[in-house]
């Protein structure tokens, strides 16, 4: 349970930092800006989920590497 809470807080912190960074870098907030922020946040979530897949005990199983490869693509 503790690991799930830490993972959730890490995801929230990463997304908040990404949104804050985008808002500080770009002054104009148009429709394309929000699409770009959404895609960046989704990419971060996918990469963070890959960390959860790899930390499930068996690192080099075929299932873990196939899942990670598909998620990363």
């Amino acid at each position: 349970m503790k690991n799930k809470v830490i993972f959730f807080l890490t995801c929230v912190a990463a997304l908040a930092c990404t949104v804050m960074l985008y808002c500080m870098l770009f002054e104009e907030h148009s429709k394309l800006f929000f699409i770009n922020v959404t895609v960046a946040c989704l990419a971060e979530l996918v990469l963070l989920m890959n960390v959860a897949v790899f930390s499930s005990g068996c690192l080099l199983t075929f299932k873990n590497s196939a899942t990670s490869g598909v998620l990363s693509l």
Side-chain angles (χ1 to χ4, degrees):
M1 183 67 180
K2 183 178 177 182
N3 289 338
K4 289 182 182 182
V5 171
I6 291 172
F7 180 70
F8 177 73
L9 291 176
T10 303
C11 289
V12 169
L15 293 178
C17 289
T18 301
V19 171
M20 184 177 64
L21 182 68
Y22 269 83
C23 288
M24 287 177 10
L25 287 176
F26 302 107
E27 296 175 2
E28 185 177 336
H29 301 305
S30 63
K31 185 177 182 179
L32 185 61
F33 171 81
F34 292 112
I35 292 171
N36 194 9
V37 170
T38 304
V39 168
C41 289
L42 287 175
E44 280 186 0
L45 285 175
V46 166
L47 291 175
L48 286 172
M49 284 182 185
N50 280 339
V51 171
V53 166
F54 281 137
S55 65
S56 67
C58 299
L59 297 176
L60 299 176
T61 63
F62 180 75
K63 181 183 176 190
N64 282 351
S65 21
T67 304
S68 173
V70 169
L71 285 175
S72 295
L73 287 177

